[in-house]
Amino acid sequence: MIHMIYTGGTIGMVQRGDGALEPAGIDDMLKYAPELSLMAEWDYCQLDPPRDSVDLGPEDWLLLARHIEKIYDRYDGFVILHGTDTMVYTAAALSFLLEGLRKPVILTGAQLPIGAIRNDARNNLITAMELAVSGHPQVAEVGVYFNDRLLRGNRAVKTSIFAFDAFDSPNFPPLARVGVSIHYPAIPPLPPRPDRLIVHQALTPQVALIKLFPGLTYRLLASHLDAPIQGLVIETFGSGNIPATPGLIDILERAIHERGLLAVAITQQLQGRVHLGAYAAGRRLQKAGVVSGGDMTPYTALVKLMFLLGRDDLSLEERRQLLARNLRGELTPPSEITPESPLTFSPGPRDPAT
Ligand code: ASP
């Protein structure tokens, strides 16, 4: 038995009499995919009213997690219909909130509405359902299904606003590829998880994300740090570098040591990981107490901060350790980086510290 949750987004729009596309109720929308009933026993509910995903946030992620918690034992899997704009944030949040998940939670959406004559909505919806009922162990986690690929939810990024192939997972292979049949590539196992579902009940949204750029001033960083934030994601250059602009590192270091700011460095490049020890410019961050976020996406790093800050059972030092650790498959742990891996840091022939 599968439970479908409709939150809104382009997927659920249908054509009215005058040809205009409008958000529909889930009943209206599902008339366009009658074959779902041939595939599985399933039922559904919807967010009232369905919303554009840019209007979903931490409160809604908690609502979804609690809803799944309440009905978890009655279903074999869950399909969440969601707008594409913030789908990866919701997916990352659910991956952290639903600890010990052993059933599929598959988010999907579309670039063209189900009520349009030519669309990707029907295919995404029907295949997400097929994956949810497959019973395959590789789908028993939070995934994003789009255009013939099931991606790990906390590894996915939206890469296009017009292509049907709108999502990618640059640092992790897909969980499943869908063609004439469904292929499940070999992937590293998820970190150990508890046997039963534990649903975490809090997120702390007092976090910020700053992308470094040439010319970033001390004053701009200071204005970010003046805000009452408890966590900061720093999108660094390359493998974790920050310019030597006077004051930048000092102000970060003060925020970390004097008021316990939880700061994590990731790379602004789509592929690869930060390695703070590699260049002098990265060592500055390490010395200041910034945690290495490995190859986490910016979306996942931000949500992970909210999750760890929301856990009042953890000390600051435990939060720092967990931030760098692979909790739900969201980052590649050093033990899984092989010399052949294209994601391995390789400084090349020049002295990296100069
Ligand atoms: N703005 C829409 C949303 O994210 C776009 C979409 O659904 O694709 O809800």
Side-chain angles (χ1 to χ4, degrees):
M1 181 82 173
I2 302 296
H3 185 61
M4 187 183 293
I5 306 169
Y6 173 49
T7 66
T10 301
I11 189 169
M13 295 194 175
V14 298
Q15 217 152 19
R16 299 291 179 208
D18 61 358
L21 286 165
E22 290 176 12
I26 190 166
D27 296 307
D28 269 355
M29 174 195 155
L30 293 173
K31 288 185 192 135
Y32 292 83
E35 46 288 81
L36 287 174
S37 307
L38 304 174
M39 301 171 66
E41 269 197 86
W42 62 284
D43 62 11
Y44 59 83
C45 69
Q46 76 174 15
L47 204 66
D48 195 20
R51 267 177 272 158
D52 191 290
S53 74
V54 297
D55 292 318
L56 298 177
E59 282 306 316
D60 304 291
W61 307 335
L62 287 165
L63 197 79
L64 283 170
R66 288 181 193 135
H67 178 63
I68 291 174
E69 177 179 30
K70 256 190 264 151
I71 58 174
Y72 186 71
D73 292 335
R74 305 210 310 260
Y75 292 92
D76 302 308
F78 304 85
V79 173
I80 301 180
L81 309 184
H82 198 288
T84 58
D85 287 343
T86 69
M87 189 183 292
V88 300
Y89 290 92
T90 303
L94 291 178
S95 77
F96 292 117
L97 293 173
L98 303 174
E99 184 174 2
L101 180 70
R102 285 175 190 273
K103 297 181 181 182
V105 173
I106 300 179
L107 289 96
T108 194
Q111 296 284 54
L112 284 175
I114 199 152
I117 293 175
R118 187 173 63 81
N119 70 71
D120 56 335
R122 262 174 52 83
N123 178 29
N124 287 347
L125 173 57
I126 288 170
T127 312
M129 179 66 102
E130 187 168 348
L131 286 161
V133 295
S134 69
H136 196 282
Q138 203 147 296
V139 305
E141 58 173 281
V142 179
V144 164
Y145 178 73
F146 225 86
N147 196 53
D148 301 341
R149 287 189 304 168
L150 179 67
L151 307 175
R152 175 164 290 166
N154 54 31
R155 294 292 198 141
V157 293
K158 182 177 174 182
T159 52
S160 175
I161 53 170
F162 67 89
F164 283 166
D165 195 10
F167 286 83
D168 202 357
S169 168
N171 289 316
F172 198 76
L175 302 175
R177 289 182 195 279
V178 178
V180 172
S181 58
I182 300 179
H183 172 61
Y184 297 94
I187 54 167
L190 278 170
R193 47 192 161 152
D195 288 335
R196 61 179 190 90
L197 183 71
I198 300 167
V199 178
H200 295 275
Q201 303 288 338
L203 292 165
T204 296
Q206 280 77 31
V207 299
L209 181 144
I210 187 158
K211 186 174 194 140
L212 302 183
F213 57 89
L216 171 74
T217 60
Y218 166 85
R219 278 189 55 193
L220 185 72
L221 182 62
S223 71
H224 266 73
L225 295 177
D226 275 348
I229 53 164
Q230 298 175 39
L232 180 69
V233 178
I234 308 166
E235 277 194 48
T236 62
F237 297 115
S239 57
N241 304 315
I242 184 166
T245 312
L248 274 194
I249 283 290
D250 302 334
I251 191 175
L252 263 177
E253 192 167 356
R254 271 207 303 282
I256 291 167
H257 292 291
E258 288 172 15
R259 65 180 174 88
L261 180 80
L262 195 57
V264 61
I266 52 160
T267 176
Q268 46 187 264
Q269 273 59 59
L270 207 49
Q271 212 169 30
R273 53 188 295 110
V274 297
H275 179 77
L276 295 185
Y279 291 90
R283 286 198 194 131
R284 292 187 200 119
L285 281 172
Q286 205 173 31
K287 266 188 62 203
V290 175
V291 174
S292 168
D295 54 359
M296 270 192 288
T297 69
Y299 322 106
T300 293
L302 196 83
V303 171
K304 191 172 180 182
L305 281 179
M306 291 187 196
F307 167 69
L308 292 174
L309 289 164
R311 294 217 11 211
D312 50 19
D313 57 320
L314 300 174
S315 67
L316 180 59
E317 191 42 43
E318 285 168 327
R319 288 191 182 119
R320 286 173 49 82
Q321 283 170 15
L322 291 177
L323 192 53
R325 194 180 303 161
N326 181 22
L327 303 181
R328 309 278 194 271
E330 75 279 11
L331 59 84
T332 308
S335 59
E336 279 169 22
I337 303 169
T338 61
E340 303 80 45
S341 160
L343 309 180
T344 306
F345 172 76
S346 145
R350 276 183 294 145
D351 177 5
T354 54

